[in-house]
Amino acid sequence: MTATATPSTSPESSGPDALRSDVRQFLTESIEAGAFTPETDSWMTGFDAAFSARLGKRGWLGMTVPTEYGGRSRTPLERFVVTEELLAHGAPVAAHWIADRQMAPSILANGTEEQKRRYLPGIASGTTFFAIGMSEPDAGSDLASVRARAVHDSDGWTITGTKVWTTGAHVAHAIVVLARTDGEHGDRQKGLSQFVVDLPHPDIEVRPLRSIDGQAHFNEVVFHDARVPSSALLGARGNGWSQVMGELAYERSGPERYLSTMPLLRAWAARLAEAGATPDQRRTLGTLTARAWALRRMSLRVASELNAGRKPDFLAAMVKDLGSTFEADLVEAVRSAGALVARRDGGDPLDRMIAQSILHTPVFTLRGGTNEILRGIVARGLGVR
């Protein structure tokens, strides 16, 4: 599992503007060369290990990870610039997304020195992928309703239980698991711990869960009394809930929460620029652009709070709630204003993209916590609940 950091093949940019220009040029050339076709929701379904490795070689993964662990020691704003461009261009980034987005900062904050040196270089080089084992069957978005249990003995831990909606577990090199190590089911947030478990594992079964579009990027992961070493514990025993809340701030507030369908908007805008737009179409395009810009400012605020060491839980929840609603609104607005007819095969590329977007829309407000859960967090943050 231990990986060696790969040196960048391109010079470090002097600042965010130059970096953005570099990334755009790389993505434009990649599209023109047929390396990938822009798609909506590519951070969830666009698995391309070779493309992730190319980003790693350019120094565009693990950007905020210290150089001593294979990263680039760059700023959160510079990382934001790279992720924003990758998402807006619909690049296939799903393979490394979870590892780079939230496991790198979590391992840096909570991991042992051994875990940092074992996993971080591979994350930064785009060769080590992670899945997250949080949600469980029949629990909905109630994350504290954890039934998976880990029992410690002199030789390590035995983990038993089932996790669902684990994106990318079938290609991941490791999974971070939330399990109860102390107390009873009714103790809710107390007595929970996290573990980093290498995959594949002889006692862990990964079953695909097919979504409405026929893809199987979700999985059910079953732990059949899986044995892991004591060193698999991430952070302090019993501190799992606090650690998970810190990770969710990264998961809920990033630009992927409002840019999943941006490739559709860009493609439609390009079509309008070529063919001309009616006043109503220009108004729709302007309204969607303004909403995206407002969400971008909110997401940047959360990134700033995280960089300062604070925990902007309710602001992150607000970004996810408003952002996921915007992503779905965008699909319907473009479909209606553009008079597009969704087709999964053949025909116009824009028709195929709208079909793909429609099929993905139902999950926007479910993943990362339903909007009802998020609004409860926002209400508590505002002191009205």
Side-chain angles (χ1 to χ4, degrees), residues 152-337:
H152 192 239
D153 59 30
S154 59
D155 295 325
W157 294 88
T158 300
I159 302 177
T160 306
T162 301
K163 298 292 181 178
V164 291
W165 312 122
T166 49
T167 305
H170 57 300
V171 297
H173 302 96
I175 181 171
V176 60
V177 184
L178 181 66
R180 180 163 300 286
T181 51
D182 301 281
E184 302 299 327
H185 176 68
D187 290 337
R188 305 283 293 169
Q189 295 94 340
K190 298 178 181 177
L192 301 177
S193 302
Q194 285 185 297
F195 298 87
V196 179
V197 180
D198 291 343
L199 295 175
H201 187 292
D203 303 321
I204 299 177
E205 185 179 0
V206 179
R207 302 168 178 166
L209 295 174
R210 295 204 175 276
S211 52
I212 193 172
D213 62 354
Q215 297 184 348
H217 51 273
F218 289 128
N219 298 277
E220 179 182 56
V221 181
V222 185
F223 295 77
H224 298 289
D225 296 333
R227 294 288 298 172
V228 299
S230 296
S231 60
L233 179 67
L234 178 64
R237 178 171 177 168
N239 197 41
W241 183 260
S242 176
Q243 293 173 193
V244 165
M245 290 299 103
E247 290 172 21
L248 286 176
Y250 288 96
E251 180 178 346
R252 289 172 172 165
S253 64
E256 69 270 33
R257 295 308 182 188
Y258 59 93
L259 291 179
S260 297
T261 52
M262 186 53 64
L264 173 64
L265 185 61
R266 284 167 53 90
W268 185 53
R271 178 67 58 83
L272 295 182
E274 179 180 326
T278 67
D280 284 345
Q281 288 173 330
R282 287 198 292 271
R283 189 176 302 109
T284 298
L285 182 60
T287 300
L288 293 172
T289 303
R291 288 179 65 184
W293 187 258
L295 287 162
R296 181 177 187 268
R297 300 304 303 172
M298 293 175 65
S299 182
L300 280 168
R301 169 68 184 280
V302 176
S304 176
E305 293 287 309
L306 290 170
N307 189 45
R310 292 185 281 270
K311 294 184 176 181
D313 296 348
F314 90 87
L315 184 56
M318 191 180 298
V319 172
K320 202 275 181 182
D321 178 24
L322 296 175
S324 58
T325 301
F326 165 73
E327 291 177 326
D329 290 349
L330 186 156
V331 175
E332 177 54 28
V334 170
R335 186 199 65 78
S336 178

Side-chain angles (χ1 to χ4, degrees), residues 48-72:
D48 187 336
F51 186 81
S52 295
R54 290 176 65 194
L55 296 179
K57 288 181 178 178
R58 287 180 169 268
W60 293 340
L61 299 181
M63 293 183 69
T64 59
V65 173
T67 53
E68 65 181 294
Y69 299 120
R72 302 290 171 171

Side-chain angles (χ1 to χ4, degrees), residues 19-104:
L19 176 61
R20 187 182 297 280
S21 178
D22 287 347
V23 178
R24 284 182 176 175
Q25 180 178 350
F26 166 76
L27 292 171
T28 299
E29 291 174 354
S30 295
I31 293 171
E32 291 174 351
F36 72 89
T37 300
E39 292 188 352
T40 57
D41 217 18
S42 62
W43 66 274
M44 181 63 71
T45 60
F47 291 89
D48 187 336
F51 186 81
S52 295
R54 290 176 65 194
L55 296 179
K57 288 181 178 178
R58 287 180 169 268
W60 293 340
L61 299 181
M63 293 183 69
T64 59
V65 173
T67 53
E68 65 181 294
Y69 299 120
R72 302 290 171 171
S73 295
R74 303 191 72 166
T75 68
L77 176 59
E78 289 174 313
R79 182 183 180 278
F80 190 95
V81 166
V82 172
T83 57
E84 194 172 46
E85 291 299 324
L86 292 171
L87 292 165
H89 284 79
V93 295
H96 69 263
W97 196 258
I98 291 171
D100 185 62
R101 176 183 66 184
Q102 66 198 85
M103 288 319 304

